[in-house]
Amino acid sequence: MMSDLTDIFSAAEVEKKLTTRVIGRPAICLDTVDSTNIRARQLASEGAPHGTIVAAAHQTAGRGRLARRFESPEGQGVYLSVILRPEMPLAELNTLTLMTAVVMLDTIEELTGIRPFIKWTNDIYLNGRKLCGILTECSVGEGGKAEYAVVGIGLNLYQQREDFAEEIRSIAGSLVSETGVHVFRTDYIACLAKHFERIFCDGAFPENKKEVLHRYREAVFFLGKKVEVRGYDNAWPAVALDIDEEGRLLVRAEDGSIHALNSGEISIRFRPDGEIEG
Ligand code: BT5
């Protein structure tokens, strides 16, 4: 289903709905772009302020991690990037992704009444299907400090399960297909900005990192379950144990050894009803 005709996708419409001081000021809305992360990085390097949102109704080169594609069809979702100028050590920047995952849960819960789950590190899932992916990129400036970070968020809003491209048809979902709730794109952007500001501004950040990571951990759906850990050139079975205070995933390999994973890929087998196998 396409978005409703009254769902005008424009900066003026977002501005009418914004309740924030920093996030989304300004908000730039584009009909189409290669990747909002690329555009946001350009703007950030030209001095765009902390909190700028670059949103698009369509991306021709939406990207995921490791140069993977993020399917971004016209009018079916919102693809956006938030420019942040965080006062935090470079080594901790991966926690921006984790904290953004909690922002997305709060946003989706407010809009639909349903709180989805997190697939460590950067995916939001419901009914065993991926609704949203997050990609954080940063630029290192003088003295090894982060000059800026760009947090990219792709959310599927309106697709039915069968609308997705063949490669992801069995794993992808949208707010409409998984919750039945139709949300206007600009309402979503305003709601996201509000939750983003609550967690990343208002003097709370970065001291709130521990509390937000605690909420992150509560939403990870596969703790205690069997997973497959995927390295660059190998894959091994393990049991997912916990998320530690740095946001690392602790797993137990079959030989009993415990590993703390900083980033990476976990495969989980879902049954058709969305429950995890194993
Ligand atoms: C991600 O990577 O999921 C991060 C996606 C970030 C997208 C946003 S949109 C705004 C901003 N601008 C950009 O160019 N990117 C950001 P990763 O964890 O590597 O997952 C990629 C994998 O997700 C693909 O290989 C597919 O299997 C699957 N996938 C692709 N498109 C999808 C979609 N629309 N919905 C669900 N799954 C998808």
Side-chain angles (χ1 to χ4, degrees):
M1 185 169 79
M2 290 293 287
S3 59
D4 191 284
L5 284 178
T6 55
D7 180 19
I8 302 160
F9 189 70
S10 72
E13 197 65 18
V14 172
E15 200 155 307
K16 266 194 242 166
K17 297 176 177 175
L18 278 179
T19 57
T20 50
R21 288 177 300 107
V22 176
I23 303 294
R25 311 250 178 217
I28 297 161
C29 285
L30 307 165
D31 289 334
T32 185
V33 68
D34 46 3
S35 151
T36 58
N37 265 28
I38 295 175
R39 182 62 66 88
R41 292 182 69 153
Q42 269 164 4
L43 291 170
S45 67
E46 291 162 8
H50 176 71
T52 302
I53 289 182
V54 183
H58 173 223
Q59 292 185 125
T60 54
R63 10 182 239 206
R65 294 173 304 159
L66 309 170
R68 288 189 289 234
R69 241 169 55 82
F70 189 79
E71 207 182 290
S72 314
E74 183 163 8
Q76 299 286 356
V78 171
Y79 318 102
L80 65 77
S81 303
V82 186
I83 297 172
L84 298 176
R85 298 185 181 277
E87 293 284 323
M88 88 195 292
L90 261 188
E92 288 185 21
L93 280 176
N94 72 323
T95 56
L96 293 181
T97 299
L98 308 192
M99 294 174 83
T100 300
V102 175
V103 169
M104 284 308 295
L105 296 187
D106 291 348
T107 302
I108 293 172
E109 186 174 18
E110 177 171 337
L111 293 169
T112 69
I114 298 169
R115 192 166 181 84
F117 300 93
I118 292 170
K119 177 163 176 248
W120 180 87
T121 54
N122 64 325
D123 293 338
I124 307 297
Y125 267 65
L126 190 61
N127 306 332
R129 287 172 177 266
K130 175 165 165 177
L131 305 176
C132 167
I134 301 165
L135 174 68
T136 305
E137 299 178 289
C138 64
S139 163
V140 183
E142 307 259 313
K145 279 192 153 176
E147 193 189 351
Y148 62 79
V150 164
V151 181
I153 308 165
L155 175 66
N156 304 318
L157 286 173
Y158 308 123
Q159 293 97 329
Q160 297 296 341
R161 289 180 174 181
E162 60 275 15
D163 293 337
F164 288 98
E166 174 109 41
E167 312 88 80
I168 59 170
R169 199 165 294 155
S170 61
I171 58 145
S174 73
L175 284 198
V176 161
S177 74
E178 305 312 314
T179 71
V181 179
H182 184 284
V183 174
F184 281 177
R185 293 172 294 182
T186 47
D187 286 333
Y188 156 63
I189 295 173
C191 188
L192 169 80
K194 181 179 78 179
H195 288 289
F196 219 96
E197 183 149 306
R198 208 171 33 79
I199 286 184
F200 284 103
C201 308
D202 294 343
F205 179 81
E207 286 73 28
N208 58 351
K209 185 180 130 187
K210 198 169 164 186
E211 176 247 320
V212 178
L213 281 183
H214 180 72
R215 295 172 61 213
Y216 179 97
R217 180 189 173 283
E218 282 180 342
V220 175
F221 59 80
F222 56 76
L223 298 181
K225 302 277 184 183
K226 284 185 197 158
V227 297
E228 187 173 70
V229 180
R230 297 229 178 128
Y232 283 107
D233 51 8
N234 64 346
W236 41 282
V239 173
L241 298 176
D242 209 349
I243 305 286
D244 73 9
E245 291 198 350
E246 304 305 317
R248 294 177 301 192
L249 176 66
L250 305 179
V251 297
R252 187 175 59 237
E254 282 190 326
D255 65 3
S257 56
I258 307 282
H259 303 255
L261 310 175
N262 269 308
S263 65
E265 202 64 47
I266 293 291
S267 299
I268 297 152
R269 292 170 87 95
F270 291 103
R271 298 198 311 245
D273 62 3
E275 289 298 312
I276 304 174
E277 280 182 10

